[in-house]
Amino acid sequence: TNVNVSIADAYERGRTDINFFAGLCMPSVCIFSLPLFYIAIWQLLANRSDEFIDKLLRFALGLPRGHAKTTFIKILICWLVVYDKTKFCLIVCSNSDLAENLLADIHDILCSPNIKAIYGEWSESLAIDSADTKKAAFHNRSVTLVARGWSAGIRGLNLQNERPDLIFCDDVQTRKNDESPTERENLLKELTGTIFKAIAPRGNRTIIYVGNMYSDECILNKFKKSSHWISMVTGAILSNGKPLWPELFSLEEL
């Protein structure tokens, strides 16, 4: 549905209505309203109270394939950028190509006509515009987006004395990795011992891990069981027999 609102009204509504903002970002993709669980995740990740600002938030998300979890995180990252909630986002995937593709999608959203009209010019503010790094003077502040494969060397990531305040890991672990105890342990050590240590030492800091529940030993399940992580992990059919996102997948389709 097309809605005519002023730029100022759209800016303010996008701040408090993630469904409205998602429609701005991807009008041809976001044809259904985000379900309540995504709205709750957005509220958790995007609207932290002052008492938690200097505490590191670790959030793990595991949803069935096809339930738009990566799309949702792209929208979330764009929201954090345009509302000046993040300065440096590190995107980590199982390999560099996937990470760079994800960064390209976020870049395209930030360059889209709706976002440009309401939040200002992203592309023309870029000082660095490469496949794995976007660095912009956006809203009179430095904003950096970096994409890496998990084995590409992230130790000590620091650009002009800035370290990531947001680390987003998307499908870092593959099924093949989980099937090998040695490879699984190496990846877990790299995540906890190197990648997560790249986070900024203070301020509003968040680590988001999106993965699949391959086995009881997979990394997503380890984070789910950890007291240091907040998590949401669920299947496509809930315990009451209803589908998780009925507008997207009916019970019969599942």
Side-chain angles (χ1 to χ4, degrees), residues 198-209:
I199 200 78
R202 61 187 61 85
N204 189 0
R205 300 163 298 146
T206 305
I207 297 173
I208 303 171
Y209 182 92

Side-chain angles (χ1 to χ4, degrees), residues 76-239:
L76 173 67
I77 291 174
C78 289
W79 187 93
L80 293 170
V81 169
V82 300
Y83 286 104
D84 305 325
K85 302 285 189 177
T86 185
K87 297 187 295 182
F88 192 159
C89 174
L90 170 62
I91 298 163
V92 184
C93 294
S94 59
N95 60 63
S96 296
D97 287 343
L98 289 175
E100 289 172 11
N101 288 340
L102 201 157
L103 175 57
D105 288 346
I106 293 171
H107 171 73
D108 287 345
I109 293 172
L110 292 172
C111 292
S112 66
N114 285 344
I115 300 302
K116 177 181 177 180
I118 297 168
Y119 301 100
E121 182 61 64
W122 166 259
S123 60
E124 292 182 5
S125 67
L126 289 169
I128 300 175
D129 185 9
S130 63
D132 66 358
T133 304
K134 311 289 183 186
K135 186 175 178 64
F138 188 65
H139 293 175
N140 296 315
R141 61 200 293 272
S142 176
V143 179
T144 304
L145 308 176
V146 173
R148 293 282 191 276
W150 72 265
S151 62
I154 296 173
R155 183 181 299 276
L157 182 65
N158 188 314
L159 294 180
Q160 295 184 342
N161 301 313
E162 293 284 348
R163 296 175 69 179
D165 53 21
L166 172 62
I167 297 177
F168 168 44
C169 298
D170 183 54
D171 282 341
V172 172
Q173 185 176 40
T174 62
R175 184 179 295 278
K176 181 179 179 181
N177 174 277
D178 184 53
E179 290 172 348
S180 167
T182 300
E183 292 183 15
R184 182 199 309 133
E185 189 63 26
N186 287 341
L187 173 55
L188 182 60
K189 287 181 179 179
E190 184 69 16
L191 283 170
T192 58
T194 300
I195 295 172
F196 294 165
K197 294 289 180 65
I199 200 78
R202 61 187 61 85
N204 189 0
R205 300 163 298 146
T206 305
I207 297 173
I208 303 171
Y209 182 92
V210 176
N212 293 294
M213 190 66 77
Y214 293 120
S215 73
D216 289 342
E217 297 300 320
C218 73
I219 292 174
L220 176 63
N221 202 35
K222 291 181 183 295
F223 291 159
K224 176 189 175 184
K225 294 178 179 179
S226 172
S227 61
H228 299 293
W229 286 76
I230 298 171
S231 65
M232 178 182 171
V233 180
T234 184
I237 301 175
L238 302 176
S239 59

Side-chain angles (χ1 to χ4, degrees), residues 10-27 30-47 68 71-83 85 109 115 119 245:
Y11 183 94
E12 290 305 319
R13 182 170 175 184
R15 185 196 298 275
T16 58
D17 185 344
I18 191 62
N19 268 306
F20 179 80
F21 183 76
L24 292 175
C25 290
M26 299 180 176
C30 297
I31 57 176
F32 300 122
S33 294
L34 294 171
L36 288 176
F37 64 84
Y38 272 141
I39 296 173
I41 293 170
W42 166 70
Q43 291 174 338
L44 169 71
L45 298 176
N47 297 291
T71 298
F72 169 74
I73 297 296
K74 292 175 189 175
I75 292 167
L76 173 67
I77 291 174
C78 289
W79 187 93
L80 293 170
V81 169
V82 300
Y83 286 104
K85 302 285 189 177
I109 293 172
I115 300 302
Y119 301 100
W245 191 347

